[in-house]
Amino acid sequence: MKNIQISPSILSADFSQLGTEIKRLEEGGADMIHVDVMDGHFVPNLTIGPPVIKALRKHCSLKFDVHLMISPVHKYIEAYADAGADIITVHPEATDNLEVSINKIKDLKKKVGVSLNPETSIDLIKNFLNKIDLVLIMSVNPGFGGQKFMPEVLEKIKQLKKIREVEKLNFDIEIDGGINFDNCKIAIEAGANILVSGTTVFKGNDGDIKKNINLLKTK
Ligand code: DX5
Ligand code: ZN
């Protein structure tokens, strides 16, 4: 049984104080920092890139769980590795050759994640599950925080958990989007062991980060 980890998304942080905000997450017991990178092309929003990640790197010892919602993605992977990403997660829809991108991330000695949008089938990545460290299941259409959780994606998590058991694999299952105190338990029961949360961690219980992280883990 994998430990449950919380990867708070800085998408909901105060962007004018990102260095302080990630320190608050570390002090609040976050297991890693989820960095939502958006390019205004793969998703209809634009956030941050390698220079900001590089600037944040020295303010926090936690792993940077970098979610690349950008396309094309392959030619930028090295820049995120150099900036300090520890986990680099790409969308199969955003690269010409998923296997080549996975190998590129591994060559850079980083953990490899593959993310599926709500409507994308796990069939797209079944042949790669023995090569990757993490599958990120989107429970919202990527682009914005604060959206409504899509419970239908839990079926994919159950399928992935079964495949992991049958094929004796060890990839983490991460869920991202609309995770709150009402659905975190069913996400974990379905098989997710890493929960991404932005709005609930930063805005829940008057912004009590430590309490919110604990509640997501133990609900
Ligand atoms: C969507 C982002 C968000 C974010 C979490 O592209 O990936 O899902 O991480 O946002 P909340 O927790 O506010 O839904
Ligand atoms: Zn994300």
Side-chain angles (χ1 to χ4, degrees):
M1 178 74 178
K2 285 177 173 272
N3 286 340
I4 303 303
Q5 298 183 76
I6 306 298
S7 185
S9 166
I10 58 171
L11 190 64
S12 305
D14 175 350
F15 266 42
S16 71
Q17 314 276 338
L18 279 179
T20 314
E21 295 280 76
I22 60 174
K23 279 202 182 80
R24 285 178 65 212
L25 291 174
E26 187 163 17
E27 286 152 13
D31 295 288
M32 57 185 92
I33 305 285
H34 190 79
V35 182
D36 280 313
V37 176
M38 302 180 186
D39 65 356
H41 173 240
F42 184 71
V43 291
N45 197 358
L46 182 63
T47 57
I48 61 171
V52 177
I53 292 173
K54 192 177 172 75
L56 292 172
R57 186 65 278 178
K58 54 182 172 297
H59 291 283
C60 177
S61 59
L62 292 178
K63 287 199 182 323
F64 280 1
D65 169 31
V66 177
H67 178 191
L68 295 180
M69 289 166 273
I70 66 175
S71 71
V73 63
H74 188 75
K75 62 182 177 180
Y76 296 110
I77 287 171
E78 189 153 2
Y80 285 95
D82 292 347
D86 297 285
I87 302 167
I88 298 178
T89 297
V90 298
H91 281 255
E93 311 96 325
T95 176
D96 297 337
N97 186 321
L98 182 59
E99 182 148 28
V100 171
S101 294
I102 288 170
N103 291 337
K104 175 81 178 169
I105 298 169
K106 291 168 92 90
D107 291 348
L108 291 162
K109 307 277 184 278
K110 302 298 179 181
K111 294 276 185 205
V112 185
V114 175
S115 181
L116 296 177
N117 285 341
E119 76 286 351
T120 307
S121 160
I122 66 167
D123 292 345
L124 203 60
I125 61 167
K126 268 183 180 162
N127 297 335
F128 303 102
L129 292 175
N130 62 343
K131 295 185 169 63
I132 61 178
D133 302 287
L134 175 142
V135 179
L136 172 56
I137 295 297
M138 294 306 296
S139 35
V140 295
N141 285 308
F144 298 92
Q147 298 180 80
K148 195 168 170 334
F149 178 73
M150 298 167 71
E152 57 270 33
V153 306
L154 293 174
E155 203 40 51
K156 287 195 276 188
I157 291 184
K158 289 173 188 168
Q159 289 169 22
L160 284 165
K161 185 182 177 189
K162 190 130 193 69
I163 293 169
R164 186 174 65 188
E165 282 160 5
V166 168
E167 296 182 17
K168 296 187 177 34
L169 299 173
N170 191 36
F171 56 87
D172 286 317
I173 301 174
E174 183 171 323
I175 187 167
D176 177 2
I179 294 295
N180 58 37
F181 303 132
D182 298 326
N183 57 37
C184 56
K185 192 163 188 282
I186 52 166
I188 292 167
E189 285 168 352
N193 65 288
I194 303 175
L195 307 183
V196 173
S197 171
T199 305
T200 297
V201 167
F202 279 100
K203 311 272 189 283
N205 292 300
D206 299 325
D208 183 338
I209 288 179
K210 194 175 190 74
K211 181 173 183 179
N212 294 334
I213 288 175
N214 257 322
L215 278 172
L216 285 171
K217 273 187 179 176
T218 56
K219 263 285 181 186

